[in-house]
Amino acid sequence: MIKKKTYVIVGLGLIGGSLAAAISKRIPNASVIGVSRSSQKISFAKKKRFIDEGFTDFKSAVPSADYIFICTPVDTIPKLVSEIDRYAKPGTIVTDVGSTKSEIVKSVERKEMKHIQFIGSHPLAGSHLTGVRHARPDLFDRAFVFVTPSKNTSAKAVRDISLFWRKLNTSVKIMSPEVHDQLVSEISHLPHATAALLMHAVSSKALSYATSGFLDTTRVAQGDPRLWAPIFLTNRMNLAKNLNTLEQALAQLSRLVRQGKAKPLVRFLKEASAKRSKLA
Ligand code: NAP
């Protein structure tokens, strides 16, 4: 018989709700507890059978937890980890799902944790939509999950949290918080910044005729700024460097367009097309 484990999800939004739903669906004998500041979200998550129980205050939920997942905006995570440590039982594994990792891990490690073991995670799954109403149990299916131990993380915590994510049908990649932040800056934060820039660059008159190409390119610009501003700010050095690279590429393209010669422009576009075609 599999021993019953208790999973506490703090923050019932898109990722927290989906995580609760995925655990309830995929992990047998799991007790899933949701913590939300909103009793309506708790009722909704209970009705959808994402969670077994819910609390508006994490102090009631944390003491029984084997695993705790913090699913709130990145700038709120370090403080929550410290507070949770006061109420958790010894050995509780605490992770987060934040889109940046270095600042969170450094900030947590600056304080001595008395009860918990913290290890950062980041599931590379989601959407521009937010809130528990958009949560779904299959959100993480076949997604990459970055697990980001530091030199102080125990091998057991890495093993346990990796095993957990694999149970949700994900592909786990282990790397340092610093490497994580460099990579996601290029494949997630820079594209988000670019989509936002495009929205600023286009006139309202032209927008009324926007169709699939424009909509595909700018979908992520709809993301919640209350989530995205802290993501940009906690990864600002990497993002600033990548924006600089983008500026250089933009200057090159601008030169080619002004020159008006087809051959170098075709070469530039062909290179981009070939690179993109290798992806799904
Ligand atoms: P979301 O749907 O807006 O949910 C965030 C939840 O955090 C809210 O439902 C709220 O939970 C809680 N929260 C908001 N502000 C808070 C505050 N000031 N203090 C404490 N709790 C607060 O956003 P999400 O997309 O699930 O994002 C959650 C985390 O996942 C973020 O760290 C984000 O970087 C990361 N992430 C997002 C994606 C994505 O594509 N969306 C992908 C991977 C990782 P309650 O109202 O229930 O308390």
Side-chain angles (χ1 to χ4, degrees):
M1 172 125 143
I2 303 162
K3 198 171 160 261
K4 195 173 180 119
K5 291 247 189 288
T6 299
Y7 300 82
V8 170
I9 316 293
V10 179
L12 288 178
L14 174 73
I15 301 294
S18 298
L19 188 54
I23 296 171
S24 294
K25 184 179 163 194
R26 288 194 175 267
I27 302 186
N29 223 359
S31 166
V32 184
I33 301 179
V35 177
S36 172
R37 299 163 306 169
S38 142
S39 40
Q40 278 106 320
K41 286 186 196 171
I42 291 173
S43 303
F44 179 83
K46 260 183 165 169
K47 209 162 115 200
K48 296 289 270 182
R49 297 183 188 280
F50 293 169
I51 57 171
D52 301 304
E53 255 189 290
F55 296 96
T56 50
D57 178 356
F58 64 79
K59 289 172 202 155
S60 312
V62 160
S64 64
D66 296 295
Y67 291 88
I68 299 175
F69 301 85
I70 306 180
C71 304
T72 60
V74 290
D75 55 334
T76 65
I77 293 170
K79 189 162 173 253
L80 279 168
V81 176
S82 298
E83 286 175 13
I84 282 168
D85 182 54
R86 291 169 58 199
Y87 303 96
K89 66 184 180 203
T92 306
I93 296 202
V94 178
T95 192
D96 72 303
V97 296
S99 304
T100 55
K101 295 270 73 86
S102 296
E103 278 209 20
I104 291 173
V105 172
K106 273 189 203 132
S107 177
V108 169
E109 292 194 341
R110 270 198 289 273
K111 295 172 194 132
E112 199 193 326
M113 296 297 146
K114 290 197 170 60
H115 302 118
I116 64 153
Q117 291 194 57
F118 179 78
I119 176 162
S121 303
H122 176 203
L124 216 62
S127 145
H128 59 281
L129 300 168
T130 52
V132 70
R133 284 182 185 277
H134 297 286
R136 28 179 257 261
D138 63 350
L139 186 74
F140 307 108
D141 269 6
R142 291 183 294 279
F144 287 123
V145 176
F146 297 123
V147 168
T148 63
S150 74
K151 59 182 183 341
N152 303 317
T153 313
S154 74
K156 184 182 179 304
V158 180
R159 243 188 349 261
D160 281 6
I161 206 68
S162 302
L163 186 64
F164 162 81
W165 283 114
R166 287 192 187 108
K167 283 184 188 161
L168 300 193
N169 194 24
T170 66
S171 173
V172 172
K173 304 286 163 195
I174 298 170
M175 63 185 68
S176 71
E178 292 74 23
V179 169
H180 166 274
D181 285 4
Q182 284 162 19
L183 295 179
V184 295
S185 177
E186 289 185 55
I187 51 136
S188 171
H189 309 168
L190 185 66
H192 192 100
T194 311
L197 282 171
L198 260 174
M199 292 315 304
H200 279 286
V202 174
S203 68
S204 317
K205 190 174 169 196
L207 271 185
S208 46
Y209 303 103
T211 50
S212 61
F214 186 86
L215 300 177
D216 286 351
T217 318
T218 56
R219 179 183 59 81
V220 295
Q222 296 166 92
D224 186 344
R226 285 169 304 180
L227 286 175
W228 277 96
I231 290 172
F232 281 9
L233 293 177
T234 53
N235 203 12
R236 57 186 176 281
M237 297 315 281
N238 287 314
L239 182 57
K241 190 171 140 231
N242 298 141
L243 283 169
N244 201 275
T245 308
L246 184 70
E247 267 177 56
Q248 289 166 27
L250 189 62
Q252 187 191 356
L253 178 59
S254 189
R255 251 189 333 268
L256 292 174
V257 168
R258 265 185 274 114
Q259 274 168 5
K261 291 185 186 141
K263 222 170 159 182
L265 187 57
V266 167
R267 203 179 310 125
F268 181 93
L269 295 173
K270 215 169 163 179
E271 238 175 74
S273 169
K275 215 167 168 180
R276 176 61 180 87
S277 298
K278 285 187 189 139
L279 305 173

